[in-house]
Amino acid sequence: QERLVESGGGLVQAGESLTLSCAASEIVLAFTTVAWYRQAPGKERELVARIGHDGIYTYEDAVKGRFTISRDDAKNIMYLQMNSLKPEDTAVYYCYAGVLERWWGQGTQVTVSS
């Protein structure tokens, strides 16, 4: 069984919203740094949003004000709420958790049409 499993991706039109989920097994997200990364066609993987071990939230400039990362400790699930989606947000999105060891989900496709 995968330790991190993403879901919620899909096809949406520009301006719409989408929420990604990442369910964790054998990892307690409350005690890790959690983050979302994405990889667009022809591009390298990049950080989208992160909650650091110190509780500091970090967002990539292109998504500031539109995306929100959160964590539900009771459910041990992390989320990425994406609003006002743009075609340039199209990518495979990966969830991440780690301290010393680091884990990645398998990715979920988000496609935003014009």
Tab-separated table of all heavy atoms in Angstrom, residues 36-40 42-48 91-96 102-105:
chain	number	residue	atom	x	y	z
A	36	TRP	N	2.983	20.298	-1.309
A	36	TRP	CA	2.513	19.920	-2.630
A	36	TRP	C	3.505	20.428	-3.664
A	36	TRP	O	3.941	21.584	-3.596
A	36	TRP	CB	1.134	20.501	-2.933
A	36	TRP	CG	0.016	19.855	-2.173
A	36	TRP	CD1	-0.492	20.236	-0.977
A	36	TRP	CD2	-0.728	18.705	-2.585
A	36	TRP	NE1	-1.515	19.405	-0.603
A	36	TRP	CE2	-1.682	18.452	-1.570
A	36	TRP	CE3	-0.689	17.873	-3.700
A	36	TRP	CZ2	-2.590	17.396	-1.644
A	36	TRP	CZ3	-1.585	16.818	-3.769
A	36	TRP	CH2	-2.516	16.590	-2.755
A	37	TYR	N	3.843	19.569	-4.593
A	37	TYR	CA	4.680	19.918	-5.727
A	37	TYR	C	3.901	19.650	-7.001
A	37	TYR	O	2.899	18.953	-6.986
A	37	TYR	CB	5.969	19.097	-5.737
A	37	TYR	CG	6.975	19.464	-4.675
A	37	TYR	CD1	6.792	19.075	-3.350
A	37	TYR	CD2	8.121	20.186	-5.001
A	37	TYR	CE1	7.716	19.402	-2.378
A	37	TYR	CE2	9.056	20.516	-4.034
A	37	TYR	CZ	8.847	20.120	-2.725
A	37	TYR	OH	9.775	20.447	-1.762
A	38	ARG	N	4.381	20.198	-8.096
A	38	ARG	CA	3.760	19.910	-9.381
A	38	ARG	C	4.815	19.861	-10.471
A	38	ARG	O	5.878	20.462	-10.353
A	38	ARG	CB	2.686	20.939	-9.732
A	38	ARG	CG	3.205	22.337	-10.027
A	38	ARG	CD	2.043	23.299	-10.236
A	38	ARG	NE	2.500	24.657	-10.521
A	38	ARG	CZ	1.705	25.708	-10.626
A	38	ARG	NH1	0.387	25.565	-10.463
A	38	ARG	NH2	2.203	26.906	-10.890
A	39	GLN	N	4.501	19.144	-11.520
A	39	GLN	CA	5.376	19.072	-12.673
A	39	GLN	C	4.534	19.238	-13.930
A	39	GLN	O	3.696	18.391	-14.239
A	39	GLN	CB	6.141	17.755	-12.720
A	39	GLN	CG	7.176	17.700	-13.825
A	39	GLN	CD	8.167	16.563	-13.641
A	39	GLN	OE1	7.898	15.609	-12.921
A	39	GLN	NE2	9.313	16.674	-14.293
A	40	ALA	N	4.758	20.340	-14.621
A	40	ALA	CA	4.048	20.636	-15.853
A	40	ALA	C	4.796	20.036	-17.030
A	40	ALA	O	5.997	19.758	-16.943
A	40	ALA	CB	3.903	22.148	-16.020
A	42	GLY	N	7.121	19.461	-19.901
A	42	GLY	CA	8.342	20.132	-20.301
A	42	GLY	C	9.031	20.915	-19.207
A	42	GLY	O	10.025	21.602	-19.481
A	43	LYS	N	8.533	20.824	-17.988
A	43	LYS	CA	9.101	21.574	-16.874
A	43	LYS	C	9.595	20.633	-15.781
A	43	LYS	O	9.194	19.472	-15.713
A	43	LYS	CB	8.066	22.534	-16.278
A	43	LYS	CG	7.488	23.531	-17.255
A	43	LYS	CD	8.529	24.519	-17.719
A	43	LYS	CE	7.911	25.577	-18.620
A	43	LYS	NZ	8.930	26.564	-19.079
A	44	GLU	N	10.462	21.158	-14.930
A	44	GLU	CA	10.927	20.404	-13.779
A	44	GLU	C	9.916	20.514	-12.651
A	44	GLU	O	9.108	21.441	-12.598
A	44	GLU	CB	12.291	20.914	-13.318
A	44	GLU	CG	13.399	20.701	-14.325
A	44	GLU	CD	14.752	21.119	-13.811
A	44	GLU	OE1	14.830	21.654	-12.688
A	44	GLU	OE2	15.743	20.907	-14.526
A	45	ARG	N	9.959	19.556	-11.746
A	45	ARG	CA	9.083	19.588	-10.590
A	45	ARG	C	9.366	20.826	-9.745
A	45	ARG	O	10.526	21.179	-9.511
A	45	ARG	CB	9.279	18.324	-9.752
A	45	ARG	CG	8.331	18.192	-8.569
A	45	ARG	CD	8.611	16.915	-7.808
A	45	ARG	NE	9.969	16.911	-7.272
A	45	ARG	CZ	10.544	15.875	-6.670
A	45	ARG	NH1	9.865	14.744	-6.532
A	45	ARG	NH2	11.776	15.973	-6.208
A	46	GLU	N	8.313	21.477	-9.269
A	46	GLU	CA	8.471	22.680	-8.475
A	46	GLU	C	7.575	22.645	-7.247
A	46	GLU	O	6.500	22.044	-7.255
A	46	GLU	CB	8.152	23.927	-9.309
A	46	GLU	CG	6.708	24.022	-9.758
A	46	GLU	CD	6.411	25.306	-10.512
A	46	GLU	OE1	7.332	26.123	-10.702
A	46	GLU	OE2	5.245	25.496	-10.923
A	47	LEU	N	8.015	23.313	-6.210
A	47	LEU	CA	7.225	23.436	-4.993
A	47	LEU	C	6.040	24.355	-5.244
A	47	LEU	O	6.196	25.442	-5.798
A	47	LEU	CB	8.081	23.995	-3.859
A	47	LEU	CG	7.359	24.292	-2.546
A	47	LEU	CD1	6.901	22.998	-1.885
A	47	LEU	CD2	8.258	25.091	-1.612
A	48	VAL	N	4.870	23.927	-4.818
A	48	VAL	CA	3.661	24.729	-4.916
A	48	VAL	C	3.319	25.359	-3.578
A	48	VAL	O	3.080	26.567	-3.477
A	48	VAL	CB	2.469	23.892	-5.415
A	48	VAL	CG1	1.188	24.726	-5.435
A	48	VAL	CG2	2.770	23.333	-6.803
A	91	ALA	N	-0.769	20.425	-14.613
A	91	ALA	CA	0.412	19.681	-14.200
A	91	ALA	C	-0.022	18.426	-13.469
A	91	ALA	O	-1.198	18.255	-13.136
A	91	ALA	CB	1.294	20.532	-13.273
A	92	VAL	N	0.938	17.565	-13.219
A	92	VAL	CA	0.735	16.471	-12.287
A	92	VAL	C	1.128	16.987	-10.909
A	92	VAL	O	2.230	17.509	-10.729
A	92	VAL	CB	1.568	15.236	-12.645
A	92	VAL	CG1	1.391	14.144	-11.593
A	92	VAL	CG2	1.169	14.718	-14.018
A	93	TYR	N	0.239	16.849	-9.956
A	93	TYR	CA	0.470	17.342	-8.605
A	93	TYR	C	0.825	16.191	-7.683
A	93	TYR	O	0.160	15.152	-7.683
A	93	TYR	CB	-0.767	18.075	-8.086
A	93	TYR	CG	-0.929	19.452	-8.686
A	93	TYR	CD1	-1.312	19.599	-10.015
A	93	TYR	CD2	-0.678	20.599	-7.937
A	93	TYR	CE1	-1.437	20.855	-10.586
A	93	TYR	CE2	-0.806	21.857	-8.500
A	93	TYR	CZ	-1.189	21.980	-9.819
A	93	TYR	OH	-1.313	23.230	-10.380
A	94	TYR	N	1.864	16.398	-6.880
A	94	TYR	CA	2.366	15.377	-5.971
A	94	TYR	C	2.333	15.887	-4.534
A	94	TYR	O	2.765	17.005	-4.264
A	94	TYR	CB	3.815	15.013	-6.306
A	94	TYR	CG	4.036	14.487	-7.699
A	94	TYR	CD1	4.305	15.349	-8.751
A	94	TYR	CD2	3.995	13.122	-7.956
A	94	TYR	CE1	4.524	14.872	-10.027
A	94	TYR	CE2	4.212	12.634	-9.230
A	94	TYR	CZ	4.478	13.510	-10.260
A	94	TYR	OH	4.692	13.028	-11.529
A	95	CYS	N	1.851	15.070	-3.630
A	95	CYS	CA	1.958	15.425	-2.224
A	95	CYS	C	3.259	14.874	-1.662
A	95	CYS	O	3.845	13.919	-2.191
A	95	CYS	CB	0.750	14.946	-1.414
A	95	CYS	SG	0.458	13.162	-1.418
A	96	TYR	N	3.702	15.496	-0.592
A	96	TYR	CA	4.990	15.187	0.018
A	96	TYR	C	4.873	15.264	1.524
A	96	TYR	O	4.153	16.107	2.068
A	96	TYR	CB	6.035	16.199	-0.475
A	96	TYR	CG	7.281	16.270	0.369
A	96	TYR	CD1	8.398	15.507	0.052
A	96	TYR	CD2	7.339	17.114	1.476
A	96	TYR	CE1	9.547	15.573	0.817
A	96	TYR	CE2	8.492	17.189	2.250
A	96	TYR	CZ	9.593	16.416	1.917
A	96	TYR	OH	10.731	16.494	2.682
A	102	ARG	N	11.749	10.875	3.535
A	102	ARG	CA	10.853	11.680	2.723
A	102	ARG	C	10.008	10.778	1.841
A	102	ARG	O	10.511	9.815	1.263
A	102	ARG	CB	11.659	12.671	1.882
A	102	ARG	CG	12.493	13.607	2.744
A	102	ARG	CD	13.423	14.482	1.940
A	102	ARG	NE	14.180	15.371	2.806
A	102	ARG	CZ	15.083	16.238	2.397
A	102	ARG	NH1	15.344	16.361	1.096
A	102	ARG	NH2	15.725	16.996	3.273
A	103	TRP	N	8.721	11.102	1.745
A	103	TRP	CA	7.786	10.289	0.992
A	103	TRP	C	7.039	11.133	-0.026
A	103	TRP	O	6.746	12.308	0.213
A	103	TRP	CB	6.779	9.612	1.930
A	103	TRP	CG	7.415	8.700	2.924
A	103	TRP	CD1	7.735	7.386	2.763
A	103	TRP	CD2	7.806	9.036	4.265
A	103	TRP	NE1	8.304	6.880	3.907
A	103	TRP	CE2	8.363	7.877	4.852
A	103	TRP	CE3	7.750	10.213	5.017
A	103	TRP	CZ2	8.846	7.853	6.153
A	103	TRP	CZ3	8.236	10.192	6.314
A	103	TRP	CH2	8.773	9.023	6.863
A	104	TRP	N	6.719	10.512	-1.134
A	104	TRP	CA	5.999	11.160	-2.218
A	104	TRP	C	4.792	10.336	-2.628
A	104	TRP	O	4.845	9.099	-2.637
A	104	TRP	CB	6.901	11.328	-3.444
A	104	TRP	CG	8.063	12.230	-3.227
A	104	TRP	CD1	9.294	11.887	-2.765
A	104	TRP	CD2	8.111	13.635	-3.484
A	104	TRP	NE1	10.105	12.996	-2.709
A	104	TRP	CE2	9.412	14.075	-3.147
A	104	TRP	CE3	7.183	14.557	-3.965
A	104	TRP	CZ2	9.803	15.405	-3.280
A	104	TRP	CZ3	7.566	15.879	-4.096
A	104	TRP	CH2	8.867	16.290	-3.754
A	105	GLY	N	3.721	11.034	-2.991
A	105	GLY	CA	2.606	10.361	-3.615
A	105	GLY	C	2.917	10.071	-5.070
A	105	GLY	O	3.950	10.476	-5.603
